[in-house]
Amino acid sequence: MNITVATVTDQVFPLNVSEDLELENLKAFCEVESGVPANQIQLTFNGQPLNDDKKTLKEYGIKDGDMLFMQQGPVQQGFLPSQAPPMAGGAVGAGLPSFDFSNIQVPHGAAASSSNSSRLSAASSDNPAVIREMLLADPSALSLLKQNNPRLSDALTSGSLERFAQVLKEQQEAKAEQERLRLRMLNADPFDSEAQRLIAEEIRKKNIEANMEAAMEYNPETFGTVVMLYINCRVNGHPVKAFIDSGAQTTIMSSECAERCNIMRLVDQRWSGYAKGVGIQRIIGRVHMVQIQIEKDFLTSSFSILEQQKMDMLLGLDMLKRHQVRHLFSRLLVC
C-alpha cells in the first residue's frame, strides 16, 4: 500500500510498504528519506503518537492513502502536528547518497522487512565503498539503479571505486543544490518572479514523476527494449538478412550488398538522387526487378541502391503492399 509521510519542515515523501510492516521498520525507511536517526523519529497518525515499535501498520489502523506526521524527539499524548517544534537544523537530507531507495518494493512479512531495513540503514553511510557493496549485493536495487540512474549504474559496473565515488559525489552535490533552491523557494516572496519560476519548475517535475509512475504501473511494457525485425531471404540466389520497415516508402539496398548479389550491372542511374529521412544519403540508381526468395516463396521487387547504407537491405512499404506479404511477419527472426 502507498502512504505519505510529512515533516515539520514541509518535507513530504511517499512510501510503498506492506500493511504487515512493523513500526520500527517503517522508521528505518523514514531514516533513509529524512536523515533523522530512527531512534529519534516519532510518528503520529490522526493526532495520536505511535509508540509501540512492534505493532504493524494494520494494527494501528493505517490504510492505503493515509498520511503520517513525523518529527524528531518524543511526542506526548494528544500533541497535534501543528504544535510540533521544528527539527534540529541540518537534519534533513544530511549525508544522504543521491540514490533514491523509496521505490524499492517492500516484501510482505516482518522477517523480509527487517532484512531490507538493515540494508537501507547501511545506505545512510557517506562511505562510497559501503554503498557500492550494498548495491552490488542487491540485484533488485541494481536493476532499479540501472533504470533510474544510468550514469551511476555505469560507474558502479565499471569496477572502479574512484569513478563511482566521483559520480556519487557529483550527484550528491546536485541534490544538495536542488534542496537549497527548494528551501529558497519556500522562504521567498510568492510574488517574486524567480520564486514563481522555481515553483513552476517544481510543479512540472512532480507532474513528470506522476506521469512516469502511472506509465510504469499501467503500461510497464513501454519501458522495455523493442527488438528490430529481420528476416532471412535470398536475393538473386545470395543469402541476405533483410530489415522490415513499414515506415520506409521504398525498398532499398546498399551498394556493397548489391555487389555481393551481382546486380550492380542492372542499376539504372537515371533514377539517381538523394534519400532524405533521419539523414541524407545519395541514391546511385535503381534496379527495376530482382527475384527475392523467402523460404519457399519467390517474389519480385525493385531496389533503390544507396551509396552508403549500413543495412544490407530494407523492405519498404512498396514491397509489402505490392505483394500483401502479411505472412512475412510469421517468419520474422530476431538478430
Side-chain angles (χ1 to χ4, degrees):
M1 65 181 182
N2 295 313
I3 63 173
T4 304
V5 179
T7 70
V8 291
T9 57
D10 294 330
Q11 184 184 14
V12 179
F13 48 88
L15 292 175
N16 191 339
V17 297
S18 166
E19 64 178 5
D20 298 322
L21 186 71
E22 294 180 353
L23 183 64
E24 61 179 356
N25 294 325
L26 178 63
K27 289 182 178 180
F29 281 92
C30 295
E31 176 183 357
V32 173
E33 293 289 343
S34 65
V36 179
N39 57 4
Q40 298 180 21
I41 290 178
Q42 176 62 55
L43 296 173
T44 305
F45 178 58
N46 289 338
Q48 299 297 322
L50 310 181
N51 297 321
D52 190 347
D53 287 345
K54 296 301 180 182
K55 277 190 176 183
T56 64
L57 301 185
K58 183 178 181 180
E59 291 173 334
Y60 276 117
I62 299 173
K63 302 180 295 296
D64 184 39
D66 285 342
M67 174 176 283
L68 304 182
F69 182 79
M70 187 193 91
Q71 71 176 72
Q72 186 175 8
V75 172
Q76 296 180 358
Q77 186 74 14
F79 194 71
L80 297 178
S82 59
Q83 302 170 327
M87 291 186 183
V92 177
L96 278 178
S98 61
F99 180 57
D100 182 14
F101 294 93
S102 63
N103 291 326
I104 297 178
Q105 296 293 327
V106 180
H108 295 279
S113 299
S114 300
S115 175
N116 274 343
S117 299
S118 301
R119 291 200 299 270
L120 291 173
S121 298
S124 61
S125 172
D126 277 333
N127 190 345
V130 174
I131 300 174
R132 181 173 178 269
E133 291 301 323
M134 183 205 66
L135 292 173
L136 290 174
D138 190 342
S140 59
L142 190 60
S143 177
L144 283 172
L145 181 66
K146 185 176 181 180
Q147 181 177 354
N148 299 327
N149 196 337
R151 183 165 175 252
L152 187 61
S153 176
D154 292 342
L156 176 66
T157 55
S158 68
S160 172
L161 178 60
E162 291 77 11
R163 181 184 171 190
F164 176 76
Q166 180 182 359
V167 174
L168 183 63
K169 182 180 178 182
E170 291 175 358
Q171 294 190 352
Q172 285 176 332
E173 292 174 351
K175 184 177 181 181
E177 179 63 24
Q178 291 177 357
E179 182 65 17
R180 283 193 292 270
L181 289 175
R182 191 184 72 85
L183 293 176
R184 176 185 170 187
M185 174 189 68
L186 293 174
N187 297 324
D189 181 359
F191 296 101
D192 181 66
S193 59
E194 180 65 16
Q196 290 181 354
R197 186 188 67 81
L198 293 175
I199 292 172
E201 180 66 17
E202 188 74 13
I203 294 174
R204 187 186 71 85
K205 289 180 179 178
K206 288 184 177 180
N207 289 338
I208 292 174
E209 288 298 323
N211 182 261
M212 181 177 176
E213 289 176 4
M216 293 181 70
E217 180 176 357
Y218 298 106
N219 301 304
E221 66 278 0
T222 60
F223 294 90
T225 303
V226 178
V227 243
M228 308 300 280
L229 303 180
Y230 292 85
I231 62 169
N232 291 317
C233 61
R234 286 181 173 272
V235 178
N236 200 27
H238 298 270
V240 177
K241 192 175 292 291
F243 173 58
I244 304 293
D245 187 0
S246 60
Q249 185 178 4
T250 59
T251 298
I252 63 175
M253 178 181 285
S254 67
S255 56
E256 292 83 357
C257 182
E259 290 283 0
R260 293 200 309 270
C261 296
N262 195 26
I263 60 174
M264 280 296 288
R265 56 190 173 83
L266 300 176
V267 174
D268 187 349
Q269 295 185 357
R270 292 176 297 177
W271 296 74
S272 63
Y274 291 91
K276 296 182 180 180
V278 178
I280 300 178
Q281 296 188 28
R282 180 173 175 267
I283 301 175
I284 298 176
R286 180 178 179 182
V287 178
H288 297 292
M289 187 172 67
V290 179
Q291 186 181 76
I292 302 177
Q293 179 185 355
I294 302 175
E295 291 190 355
K296 296 181 180 181
D297 295 327
F298 291 85
L299 308 172
T300 59
S301 177
S302 61
F303 291 97
S304 294
I305 309 301
L306 271 61
E307 187 175 39
Q308 294 181 347
Q309 169 65 22
K310 294 181 180 179
M311 291 184 182
D312 284 347
M313 187 170 75
L314 186 149
L315 296 180
L317 191 59
D318 59 338
M319 162 73 173
L320 302 178
K321 289 184 67 177
R322 182 183 303 120
H323 298 287
Q324 298 182 357
V325 286
R326 296 179 181 176
H327 61 283
L328 281 178
F329 292 93
S330 64
R331 302 168 183 174
L332 294 178
L333 299 176
V334 178
C335 292

